[in-house]
């Protein structure tokens, strides 16, 4: 059977049997669906042998490449001893070691780890824990949450309640609890002549104004530190976080850092909040936690929060669980990921990678169709001037034709490559992106 037929056949079966995420399935009548046979490093290979540079780390999860030999070896070894056991009433070496090492990564400030599977379930846990903390402390009226305009925290109903991206929220808004949104410090929204920092200070003042009026009923303020991802890679000054920490302290409101995307070196430091010199009350992690291998998420919190639940009364405990909480294989993948960070000095090494890709992307940054080219750590983003309502889908297709996996958010194109991206691969990514921009129709509203 010719190889092209193998791919066609699989895709036909996929479209018939698999309801793909975040997709209007009818668009697959013209939008390519890609079969993936294997991955290696930054590259994905389809059943026909075509390759694609995974410039978005497979939805921001992959850190050290596909089929990383070191993570593979750790998982193979774990398979021979324990795949999974329930975590209520039981424990195991990988989950204990992972919790200890993650706590050390926060300087010991967040010493209690509660596990789940996906990012959204971590957000649910942080919201519930914050609410329950205040209830256990005799303040049950603190049951509301605030988040930034344009924030994205996942799509289960609780996480969606604090999400503010119309595309994902509007349809289901009637099902979600009410929450408040405060102005985003996204520097693109700064006034004429206003610096990113000054704008961040102005937005922090708006947060303060909100909490001044609503602190009595607000349990927590949840924030994506430094970069708001799904709204379109909105980047902002760390001063906002520093002030948000002070304001939350002043009004007895928890600060939840959703580092599901920004954690594990994405913004240039191990955690983004480090750049503001603060520590949140709750830290949500997932995605890169397992190097992009297995679904695992965790909520880390302080001793004071933990103590509010530690009691003889069962009802004061955090009675929340998921079947796969603390899965041993996922924890082992996470430990192997942390090993690579330490052994290869990744945070330092990435600084040179950031500089190299920024330099390689100069033609993209200066392209006449590009606006707001920006970078934070291992994330690059820019807007493309276009009137095409289907720009994102079409750009995705054009990128595939040039061996790139790029998946714009609206008219925002971004690079979020695995950290194993070589200089040559970075140059290829930048040059081919510039080619796609060059080839865009002059008026691409109907192409
Ligand atoms: C900041 C942030 N929070 C939460 C989530 C939800 O994570 P998951 O898709 O694993 O549920 C995401 C996913 O993109 C995210 O970027």
């Amino acid at each position: 059977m010719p190889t092209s037929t193998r791919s066609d056949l699989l895709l036909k079966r996929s479209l018939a049997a698999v309801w793909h995420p975040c997709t209007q399935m009818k668009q697959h009548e013209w939008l390519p669906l890609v079969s993936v046979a294997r991955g290696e490093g930054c590259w994905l290979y389809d059943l026909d042998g075509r390759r694609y540079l995974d410039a978005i780390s497979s939805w921001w999860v992959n850190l050290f490449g596909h089929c990383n030999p070191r993570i593979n070896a750790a998982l193979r070894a774990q398979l021979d001893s324990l795949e999974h056991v329930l975590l209520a009433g039981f424990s195991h070496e990988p989950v204990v070691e992972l919790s200890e090492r993650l706590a050390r990564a926060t300087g010991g400030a967040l010493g209690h780890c509660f596990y789940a599977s996906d990012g959204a379930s971590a957000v649910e846990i942080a919201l519930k824990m914050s609410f329950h903390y205040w209830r256990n402390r005799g303040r049950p009226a603190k049951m509301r949450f605030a988040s930034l305009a344009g924030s994205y925290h996942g799509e289960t109903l609780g996480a969606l309640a604090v999400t503010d991206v119309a595309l994902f929220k509007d349809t289901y808004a009637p099902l979600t609890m009410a929450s408040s949104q405060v102005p985003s410090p996204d520097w693109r929204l700064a006034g004429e002549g206003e610096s990113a920092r000054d704008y961040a200070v102005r937005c922090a003042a708006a947060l303060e104004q909100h909490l001044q009026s609503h602190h009595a009923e607000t349990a927590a303020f949840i924030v994506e530190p430094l970069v708001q991802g799904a709204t379109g890679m909105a980047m902002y000054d760390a001063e906002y976080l520093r002030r948000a920490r002070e304001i939350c302290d002043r009004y007895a409101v928890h600060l939840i850092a959703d580092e599901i995307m920004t954690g594990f070196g994405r913004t240039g430091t191990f955690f983004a909040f480090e750049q503001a010199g603060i520590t949140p009350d709750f830290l949500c992690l997932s995605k890169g936690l397992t190097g992009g291998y297995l679904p695992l998420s965790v909520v880390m919190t302080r001793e004071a929060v933990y103590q509010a639940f530690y009691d003889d009364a069962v009802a004061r405990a955090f009675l929340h669980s998921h079947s796969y909480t603390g899965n041993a294989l996922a924890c082992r993948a996470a430990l192997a990921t942390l090993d690579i960070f330490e052994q290869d000095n990744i945070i330092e090494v990435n600084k040179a990678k950031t500089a190299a890709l920024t330099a390689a992307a100069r033609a993209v940054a200066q392209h006449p169709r590009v606006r707001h080219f920006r970078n934070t750590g291992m994330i690059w983003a820019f807007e493309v001037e276009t009137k095409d309502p289907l720009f994102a889908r079409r750009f995705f297709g054009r990128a595939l034709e040039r061996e790139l996996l790029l998946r714009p958010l609206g008219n925002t194109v971004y690079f979020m490559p695995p950290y194993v991206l070589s200089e040559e691969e970075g140059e290829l990514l930048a040059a081919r992106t510039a080619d796609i921009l060059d080839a865009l129709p002059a008026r691409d509203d109907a192409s």
Side-chain angles (χ1 to χ4, degrees):
M1 192 187 289
T3 47
S4 63
T5 315
R6 283 178 58 212
S7 180
D8 290 348
L9 217 60
L10 183 80
L11 298 182
K12 214 166 145 201
R13 284 170 51 210
S14 190
L15 289 174
V18 182
W19 197 336
H20 291 266
C22 202
T23 300
Q24 170 47 271
M25 294 296 290
K26 193 165 192 297
Q27 287 187 346
H28 278 308
E29 288 176 7
W30 56 271
L31 186 73
L33 179 67
V34 185
S35 67
V36 176
R38 66 185 185 88
E40 189 180 340
C42 291
W43 295 92
L44 295 166
Y45 296 85
D46 73 12
L47 279 169
D48 299 337
R50 281 187 295 259
R51 61 174 198 166
Y52 307 96
L53 181 75
D54 186 355
I56 62 162
S57 296
S58 285
W59 260 348
W60 322 343
V61 300
N62 192 289
L63 300 187
F64 300 122
H66 294 280
C67 286
N68 182 289
R70 287 146 85 180
I71 304 176
N72 285 4
L75 279 173
R76 283 196 191 98
Q78 182 63 41
L79 266 177
D80 287 334
S81 55
L82 177 70
E83 82 301 339
H84 179 71
V85 64
L86 76 164
L87 204 63
F90 294 81
S91 198
H92 51 78
E93 179 67 29
V95 79
V96 174
E97 190 186 336
L98 179 60
S99 307
E100 290 170 350
R101 287 174 69 176
L102 288 174
R104 278 204 293 279
T106 69
L110 305 177
H112 298 279
C113 292
F114 195 102
Y115 290 89
S117 312
D118 291 290
S121 45
V123 170
E124 301 277 341
I125 287 165
L127 299 178
K128 282 177 69 178
M129 245 183 209
S130 171
F131 161 76
H132 198 166
Y133 168 90
W134 292 116
R135 192 182 162 91
N136 280 354
R137 286 282 178 248
R139 304 195 55 185
K142 285 169 91 65
M143 54 187 294
R144 296 279 304 253
F145 300 97
S147 63
L148 290 178
S151 58
Y152 181 89
H153 298 289
E155 295 175 46
T156 54
L157 291 177
L160 197 59
V162 288
T163 285
D164 182 45
V165 179
L167 181 66
F168 306 122
K169 175 96 178 243
D170 282 2
T171 306
Y172 307 103
L175 301 181
T176 63
M177 65 181 166
S179 73
S180 304
Q181 275 66 54
V182 294
S184 162
D186 172 2
W187 63 249
R188 290 171 301 172
L189 305 174
E192 188 83 13
E194 190 178 32
S195 71
R197 188 178 184 282
D198 288 348
Y199 182 58
V201 170
R202 184 150 66 92
C203 289
L207 171 67
E208 170 138 38
Q209 217 169 30
H210 175 78
L211 291 185
Q212 215 165 35
S213 308
H214 297 289
H215 64 92
E217 69 265 21
T218 304
F221 172 51
I222 182 167
V223 66
E224 293 161 87
L226 295 186
V227 184
Q228 292 182 268
T231 196
M233 301 299 154
M235 299 181 183
Y236 64 88
D237 195 280
E239 180 64 16
Y240 183 81
L241 295 173
R242 208 181 60 69
R243 294 196 178 216
R245 175 69 280 179
E246 282 174 8
I247 294 163
C248 286
D249 284 344
R250 198 171 309 138
Y251 292 98
V253 167
H254 287 139
L255 179 63
I256 302 174
D258 175 351
E259 295 235 14
I260 287 161
M261 182 195 79
T262 55
F264 301 97
R266 259 306 153 198
T267 67
T269 43
F270 195 72
F271 297 124
F273 66 73
E274 293 167 25
Q275 294 183 42
I278 61 154
T279 307
D281 300 300
F282 297 91
L283 173 61
C284 301
L285 301 171
S286 186
K287 291 194 185 278
L289 173 59
T290 61
Y293 264 64
L294 287 161
L296 181 70
S297 61
V298 61
V299 177
M300 301 176 65
T301 191
R302 298 174 181 279
E303 182 66 20
V305 172
Y306 182 75
Q307 285 304 328
F309 292 80
Y310 201 82
D311 200 275
D312 291 327
V314 173
R316 287 174 70 91
F318 191 60
L319 300 181
H320 180 111
S321 62
H322 297 284
S323 309
Y324 283 100
T325 291
N327 174 263
L329 284 167
C331 289
R332 183 56 71 194
L335 288 169
T337 300
L338 292 180
D339 286 345
I340 297 175
F341 268 102
E342 287 171 18
Q343 290 161 9
D344 295 5
N345 199 14
I346 294 298
I347 297 298
E348 277 311 305
V349 168
N350 277 1
K351 288 180 183 160
K353 293 199 180 230
T354 295
L357 186 48
T358 300
R362 196 169 300 126
V364 173
Q366 294 172 354
H367 196 280
R369 297 289 288 268
V370 166
R371 301 283 174 270
H372 296 309
F373 186 89
R374 54 197 181 277
N375 161 245
T376 300
M378 292 295 284
I379 308 172
W380 293 257
F382 54 91
E383 277 70 56
V384 176
E385 212 166 65
T386 176
K387 291 195 178 73
D388 182 1
L390 293 177
F391 168 81
R393 306 287 178 277
R394 288 201 235 268
F395 192 97
F396 170 74
R398 288 172 183 142
L400 288 179
E401 287 164 12
R402 289 169 176 81
E403 300 185 317
L404 301 183
L405 167 45
L406 286 171
R407 209 169 178 277
L409 300 154
N411 69 332
T412 303
V413 178
Y414 66 92
F415 305 149
M416 205 189 292
Y419 301 162
V420 292
L421 186 86
S422 69
E423 207 162 321
E424 296 70 39
E425 287 165 339
E427 283 163 7
L428 180 149
L429 169 61
R432 294 194 184 176
T433 303
D435 287 348
I436 301 169
L437 292 169
D438 284 342
L440 285 179
R443 272 184 78 250
D444 63 345
D445 48 348
S447 55

